[in-house]
Structure formats: structure tokens, C-alpha cells
Amino acid sequence: MAARSKARKRAIDILFEAEQRQVNAGDLLRERLAAPVTEAPLSEFTADLVVGVVDHWNAINDLLTTYSQGWTLERMPAVDRAILRLGAYEVLFTDVPEGVAISEAVALATELSTDDSPKFVNGLLARIAEVKPTLA
């Protein structure tokens, strides 16, 4: 797995853990940076991803809610929410090519979630990428 893919997975781990523990992901990130719980410290890219998602949390959640036809955020598996938040952040707020961001999110969904999740993640992030030019 490439370094940036590993960094994305670690960002998903933090976003998922924060939600499960009902703590702010930014606070959990600061805790992990101060006292790592793994042999390898978190990369700068992982930290940037988590901070970006946290900084745009409400906008991302609003878009996911708006474009996930028939699915509320609460109804989605928690790992899918984390993957979608990260994917939406990369699609909307970074220089990562949209296709790369979506492909990485789909790969994470394939590895970490249900059999139906990759298709759902792909469709929802593709829709967000499609409407991106209309969001101002």
C-alpha cells in the first residue's frame, strides 16, 4: 500500500474512533500526535486530512445528506461515514484529482466495509464531484 493510501487509512481510523468514542476528531488527533499509540507516528498528510475534514465538517455532512438518496448519515455504517467524509473533503477542498480521491475512497470501502459499500461510496462521491462546480 502506498504511503498516501496508508495515511488515508490512518485518517479514517481516527475519524471512526472519534465517532465511536463520541469525541471530537481534532481533539483525538492532537492526543495521537502528542502520545502515539502505534510504532509509526502519524504522518503530516494524515494530520492534514483529519484537520481538513474537521474544518469542513458541517458542509461535508450537509452535502452527504443532500446527495445520499434515501440514506441519512445515521443510517450509514460508521466506517462508510468516515470514508465518505474524507473522500468528500478531498474532492471538494484539496488539489487531489477527483478521480484519485474517489478511487482511494472506494478502495478503503472495499477493504473496510460491506460488500455494497464500494458502489455506494463511488456513486455518492461521483455525484458530489459532479455538482462541485455549482457549489460556491
Side-chain angles (χ1 to χ4, degrees):
M1 185 182 287
R4 288 175 71 92
S5 295
K6 286 180 186 176
R8 285 181 180 94
K9 185 176 182 308
R10 293 191 74 192
I12 294 299
D13 292 343
I14 290 172
L15 294 169
F16 178 82
E17 180 183 349
E19 184 170 351
Q20 295 306 300
R21 292 178 49 199
Q22 298 181 343
V23 298
N24 180 281
D27 293 343
L28 181 59
L29 173 65
R30 283 186 285 284
E31 181 182 311
R32 292 291 184 264
L33 289 170
V37 296
T38 58
E39 281 186 33
L42 293 175
S43 71
E44 184 177 336
F45 185 57
T46 296
D48 290 345
L49 291 172
V50 173
V51 168
V53 170
V54 170
D55 286 350
H56 299 282
W57 190 267
N58 292 332
I60 290 169
N61 283 347
D62 289 347
L63 287 167
L64 293 175
T65 299
T66 299
Y67 293 104
S68 60
Q69 299 169 341
W71 285 83
T72 62
L73 277 177
E74 296 76 24
R75 187 173 167 219
M76 295 175 198
V79 69
D80 288 4
R81 283 192 299 270
I83 293 167
L84 285 164
R85 285 173 176 139
L86 179 63
Y89 167 70
E90 285 199 283
V91 165
L92 294 168
F93 302 106
T94 71
D95 294 333
V96 173
E98 293 168 0
V100 171
I102 294 169
S103 177
E104 288 284 334
V106 169
L108 286 164
T110 300
E111 179 184 346
L112 301 172
S113 196
T114 69
D115 290 343
D116 294 330
S117 292
K119 182 178 176 183
F120 179 70
V121 166
N122 184 63
L124 182 49
L125 292 178
R127 179 67 178 136
I128 288 172
E130 185 181 304
V131 301
K132 178 181 174 180
T134 68
L135 305 172

PDB file of all heavy atoms in Angstrom, residues 8 90-91 95-107 122 125-126 129 132:
ATOM      1  N   ARG A   8      -4.274   7.859   4.396  1.00  0.00           N
ATOM      2  CA  ARG A   8      -5.737   7.980   4.335  1.00  0.00           C
ATOM      3  C   ARG A   8      -6.400   6.968   5.274  1.00  0.00           C
ATOM      4  O   ARG A   8      -7.355   7.292   5.971  1.00  0.00           O
ATOM      5  CB  ARG A   8      -6.233   7.763   2.904  1.00  0.00           C
ATOM      6  CG  ARG A   8      -5.984   8.928   1.980  1.00  0.00           C
ATOM      7  CD  ARG A   8      -6.529   8.647   0.580  1.00  0.00           C
ATOM      8  NE  ARG A   8      -6.286   9.769  -0.300  1.00  0.00           N
ATOM      9  CZ  ARG A   8      -5.224   9.886  -1.099  1.00  0.00           C
ATOM     10  NH1 ARG A   8      -4.308   8.916  -1.140  1.00  0.00           N
ATOM     11  NH2 ARG A   8      -5.082  10.954  -1.858  1.00  0.00           N
ATOM     12  N   GLU A  90     -11.553  15.514   0.218  1.00  0.00           N
ATOM     13  CA  GLU A  90     -10.529  15.528  -0.832  1.00  0.00           C
ATOM     14  C   GLU A  90     -11.100  16.000  -2.168  1.00  0.00           C
ATOM     15  O   GLU A  90     -10.445  16.749  -2.887  1.00  0.00           O
ATOM     16  CB  GLU A  90      -9.899  14.146  -0.983  1.00  0.00           C
ATOM     17  CG  GLU A  90      -8.942  13.822   0.151  1.00  0.00           C
ATOM     18  CD  GLU A  90      -7.991  12.720  -0.193  1.00  0.00           C
ATOM     19  OE1 GLU A  90      -8.408  11.548  -0.165  1.00  0.00           O
ATOM     20  OE2 GLU A  90      -6.831  13.035  -0.511  1.00  0.00           O
ATOM     21  N   VAL A  91     -12.316  15.586  -2.498  1.00  0.00           N
ATOM     22  CA  VAL A  91     -12.944  16.001  -3.757  1.00  0.00           C
ATOM     23  C   VAL A  91     -13.180  17.509  -3.767  1.00  0.00           C
ATOM     24  O   VAL A  91     -12.922  18.186  -4.762  1.00  0.00           O
ATOM     25  CB  VAL A  91     -14.272  15.246  -3.981  1.00  0.00           C
ATOM     26  CG1 VAL A  91     -15.118  15.901  -5.066  1.00  0.00           C
ATOM     27  CG2 VAL A  91     -14.011  13.782  -4.339  1.00  0.00           C
ATOM     28  N   ASP A  95      -6.320  19.662  -3.774  1.00  0.00           N
ATOM     29  CA  ASP A  95      -5.862  19.600  -5.167  1.00  0.00           C
ATOM     30  C   ASP A  95      -5.768  18.166  -5.680  1.00  0.00           C
ATOM     31  O   ASP A  95      -5.329  17.947  -6.809  1.00  0.00           O
ATOM     32  CB  ASP A  95      -4.489  20.274  -5.292  1.00  0.00           C
ATOM     33  CG  ASP A  95      -4.562  21.771  -5.026  1.00  0.00           C
ATOM     34  OD1 ASP A  95      -5.631  22.366  -5.248  1.00  0.00           O
ATOM     35  OD2 ASP A  95      -3.545  22.341  -4.595  1.00  0.00           O
ATOM     36  N   VAL A  96      -6.142  17.201  -4.858  1.00  0.00           N
ATOM     37  CA  VAL A  96      -6.125  15.800  -5.295  1.00  0.00           C
ATOM     38  C   VAL A  96      -7.130  15.661  -6.439  1.00  0.00           C
ATOM     39  O   VAL A  96      -8.275  16.120  -6.313  1.00  0.00           O
ATOM     40  CB  VAL A  96      -6.507  14.859  -4.123  1.00  0.00           C
ATOM     41  CG1 VAL A  96      -6.664  13.423  -4.598  1.00  0.00           C
ATOM     42  CG2 VAL A  96      -5.490  14.956  -2.997  1.00  0.00           C
ATOM     43  N   PRO A  97      -6.723  15.061  -7.556  1.00  0.00           N
ATOM     44  CA  PRO A  97      -7.687  14.872  -8.646  1.00  0.00           C
ATOM     45  C   PRO A  97      -8.916  14.101  -8.154  1.00  0.00           C
ATOM     46  O   PRO A  97      -8.792  13.148  -7.379  1.00  0.00           O
ATOM     47  CB  PRO A  97      -6.892  14.062  -9.681  1.00  0.00           C
ATOM     48  CG  PRO A  97      -5.457  14.381  -9.397  1.00  0.00           C
ATOM     49  CD  PRO A  97      -5.385  14.566  -7.900  1.00  0.00           C
ATOM     50  N   GLU A  98     -10.089  14.537  -8.599  1.00  0.00           N
ATOM     51  CA  GLU A  98     -11.335  13.933  -8.122  1.00  0.00           C
ATOM     52  C   GLU A  98     -11.341  12.421  -8.310  1.00  0.00           C
ATOM     53  O   GLU A  98     -11.765  11.673  -7.424  1.00  0.00           O
ATOM     54  CB  GLU A  98     -12.527  14.562  -8.834  1.00  0.00           C
ATOM     55  CG  GLU A  98     -12.727  16.015  -8.470  1.00  0.00           C
ATOM     56  CD  GLU A  98     -13.712  16.736  -9.369  1.00  0.00           C
ATOM     57  OE1 GLU A  98     -14.263  16.123 -10.313  1.00  0.00           O
ATOM     58  OE2 GLU A  98     -13.942  17.935  -9.117  1.00  0.00           O
ATOM     59  N   GLY A  99     -10.871  11.959  -9.470  1.00  0.00           N
ATOM     60  CA  GLY A  99     -10.845  10.520  -9.739  1.00  0.00           C
ATOM     61  C   GLY A  99      -9.978   9.748  -8.757  1.00  0.00           C
ATOM     62  O   GLY A  99     -10.322   8.638  -8.347  1.00  0.00           O
ATOM     63  N   VAL A 100      -8.865  10.351  -8.364  1.00  0.00           N
ATOM     64  CA  VAL A 100      -7.971   9.720  -7.394  1.00  0.00           C
ATOM     65  C   VAL A 100      -8.645   9.671  -6.025  1.00  0.00           C
ATOM     66  O   VAL A 100      -8.633   8.634  -5.351  1.00  0.00           O
ATOM     67  CB  VAL A 100      -6.622  10.470  -7.313  1.00  0.00           C
ATOM     68  CG1 VAL A 100      -5.766   9.949  -6.158  1.00  0.00           C
ATOM     69  CG2 VAL A 100      -5.878  10.347  -8.634  1.00  0.00           C
ATOM     70  N   ALA A 101      -9.245  10.764  -5.614  1.00  0.00           N
ATOM     71  CA  ALA A 101      -9.921  10.813  -4.310  1.00  0.00           C
ATOM     72  C   ALA A 101     -11.032   9.769  -4.248  1.00  0.00           C
ATOM     73  O   ALA A 101     -11.171   9.053  -3.249  1.00  0.00           O
ATOM     74  CB  ALA A 101     -10.477  12.211  -4.059  1.00  0.00           C
ATOM     75  N   ILE A 102     -11.809   9.674  -5.311  1.00  0.00           N
ATOM     76  CA  ILE A 102     -12.919   8.708  -5.337  1.00  0.00           C
ATOM     77  C   ILE A 102     -12.373   7.283  -5.347  1.00  0.00           C
ATOM     78  O   ILE A 102     -12.852   6.417  -4.599  1.00  0.00           O
ATOM     79  CB  ILE A 102     -13.846   8.982  -6.533  1.00  0.00           C
ATOM     80  CG1 ILE A 102     -14.548  10.330  -6.349  1.00  0.00           C
ATOM     81  CG2 ILE A 102     -14.865   7.855  -6.697  1.00  0.00           C
ATOM     82  CD1 ILE A 102     -15.280  10.838  -7.585  1.00  0.00           C
ATOM     83  N   SER A 103     -11.363   7.031  -6.162  1.00  0.00           N
ATOM     84  CA  SER A 103     -10.769   5.699  -6.237  1.00  0.00           C
ATOM     85  C   SER A 103     -10.195   5.260  -4.888  1.00  0.00           C
ATOM     86  O   SER A 103     -10.371   4.111  -4.464  1.00  0.00           O
ATOM     87  CB  SER A 103      -9.673   5.692  -7.303  1.00  0.00           C
ATOM     88  OG  SER A 103      -9.028   4.444  -7.357  1.00  0.00           O
ATOM     89  N   GLU A 104      -9.529   6.160  -4.203  1.00  0.00           N
ATOM     90  CA  GLU A 104      -8.967   5.845  -2.884  1.00  0.00           C
ATOM     91  C   GLU A 104     -10.088   5.538  -1.879  1.00  0.00           C
ATOM     92  O   GLU A 104      -9.974   4.621  -1.078  1.00  0.00           O
ATOM     93  CB  GLU A 104      -8.098   6.991  -2.388  1.00  0.00           C
ATOM     94  CG  GLU A 104      -6.785   7.138  -3.124  1.00  0.00           C
ATOM     95  CD  GLU A 104      -5.745   6.099  -2.740  1.00  0.00           C
ATOM     96  OE1 GLU A 104      -5.791   5.567  -1.608  1.00  0.00           O
ATOM     97  OE2 GLU A 104      -4.873   5.818  -3.575  1.00  0.00           O
ATOM     98  N   ALA A 105     -11.153   6.317  -1.935  1.00  0.00           N
ATOM     99  CA  ALA A 105     -12.281   6.078  -1.026  1.00  0.00           C
ATOM    100  C   ALA A 105     -12.934   4.727  -1.308  1.00  0.00           C
ATOM    101  O   ALA A 105     -13.279   3.985  -0.378  1.00  0.00           O
ATOM    102  CB  ALA A 105     -13.299   7.216  -1.144  1.00  0.00           C
ATOM    103  N   VAL A 106     -13.098   4.400  -2.569  1.00  0.00           N
ATOM    104  CA  VAL A 106     -13.685   3.112  -2.946  1.00  0.00           C
ATOM    105  C   VAL A 106     -12.784   1.966  -2.478  1.00  0.00           C
ATOM    106  O   VAL A 106     -13.272   0.950  -1.959  1.00  0.00           O
ATOM    107  CB  VAL A 106     -13.948   3.048  -4.470  1.00  0.00           C
ATOM    108  CG1 VAL A 106     -14.307   1.633  -4.905  1.00  0.00           C
ATOM    109  CG2 VAL A 106     -15.052   4.024  -4.851  1.00  0.00           C
ATOM    110  N   ALA A 107     -11.480   2.125  -2.630  1.00  0.00           N
ATOM    111  CA  ALA A 107     -10.544   1.092  -2.168  1.00  0.00           C
ATOM    112  C   ALA A 107     -10.654   0.893  -0.654  1.00  0.00           C
ATOM    113  O   ALA A 107     -10.645  -0.248  -0.165  1.00  0.00           O
ATOM    114  CB  ALA A 107      -9.116   1.457  -2.561  1.00  0.00           C
ATOM    115  N   ASN A 122     -18.702   5.137  -4.239  1.00  0.00           N
ATOM    116  CA  ASN A 122     -18.386   5.616  -5.584  1.00  0.00           C
ATOM    117  C   ASN A 122     -19.498   6.518  -6.118  1.00  0.00           C
ATOM    118  O   ASN A 122     -19.234   7.615  -6.623  1.00  0.00           O
ATOM    119  CB  ASN A 122     -18.164   4.427  -6.521  1.00  0.00           C
ATOM    120  CG  ASN A 122     -17.746   4.864  -7.905  1.00  0.00           C
ATOM    121  OD1 ASN A 122     -16.706   5.459  -8.082  1.00  0.00           O
ATOM    122  ND2 ASN A 122     -18.584   4.573  -8.882  1.00  0.00           N
ATOM    123  N   LEU A 125     -19.810   9.946  -3.994  1.00  0.00           N
ATOM    124  CA  LEU A 125     -18.697  10.875  -4.233  1.00  0.00           C
ATOM    125  C   LEU A 125     -18.670  11.351  -5.684  1.00  0.00           C
ATOM    126  O   LEU A 125     -18.332  12.517  -5.944  1.00  0.00           O
ATOM    127  CB  LEU A 125     -17.369  10.235  -3.842  1.00  0.00           C
ATOM    128  CG  LEU A 125     -17.168   9.995  -2.337  1.00  0.00           C
ATOM    129  CD1 LEU A 125     -15.839   9.311  -2.073  1.00  0.00           C
ATOM    130  CD2 LEU A 125     -17.291  11.283  -1.541  1.00  0.00           C
ATOM    131  N   ALA A 126     -19.037  10.494  -6.619  1.00  0.00           N
ATOM    132  CA  ALA A 126     -19.111  10.921  -8.027  1.00  0.00           C
ATOM    133  C   ALA A 126     -20.172  12.001  -8.192  1.00  0.00           C
ATOM    134  O   ALA A 126     -19.975  12.974  -8.935  1.00  0.00           O
ATOM    135  CB  ALA A 126     -19.407   9.730  -8.931  1.00  0.00           C
ATOM    136  N   ALA A 129     -18.763  15.222  -6.831  1.00  0.00           N
ATOM    137  CA  ALA A 129     -17.809  15.773  -7.800  1.00  0.00           C
ATOM    138  C   ALA A 129     -18.550  16.421  -8.966  1.00  0.00           C
ATOM    139  O   ALA A 129     -18.133  17.474  -9.466  1.00  0.00           O
ATOM    140  CB  ALA A 129     -16.872  14.670  -8.302  1.00  0.00           C
ATOM    141  N   LYS A 132     -19.938  19.781  -7.842  1.00  0.00           N
ATOM    142  CA  LYS A 132     -18.917  20.672  -7.269  1.00  0.00           C
ATOM    143  C   LYS A 132     -18.880  22.044  -7.944  1.00  0.00           C
ATOM    144  O   LYS A 132     -18.819  23.066  -7.245  1.00  0.00           O
ATOM    145  CB  LYS A 132     -17.554  20.002  -7.327  1.00  0.00           C
ATOM    146  CG  LYS A 132     -16.417  20.830  -6.805  1.00  0.00           C
ATOM    147  CD  LYS A 132     -15.110  20.067  -6.931  1.00  0.00           C
ATOM    148  CE  LYS A 132     -13.933  20.941  -6.551  1.00  0.00           C
ATOM    149  NZ  LYS A 132     -12.661  20.188  -6.682  1.00  0.00           N
TER     150      LYS A 132
END
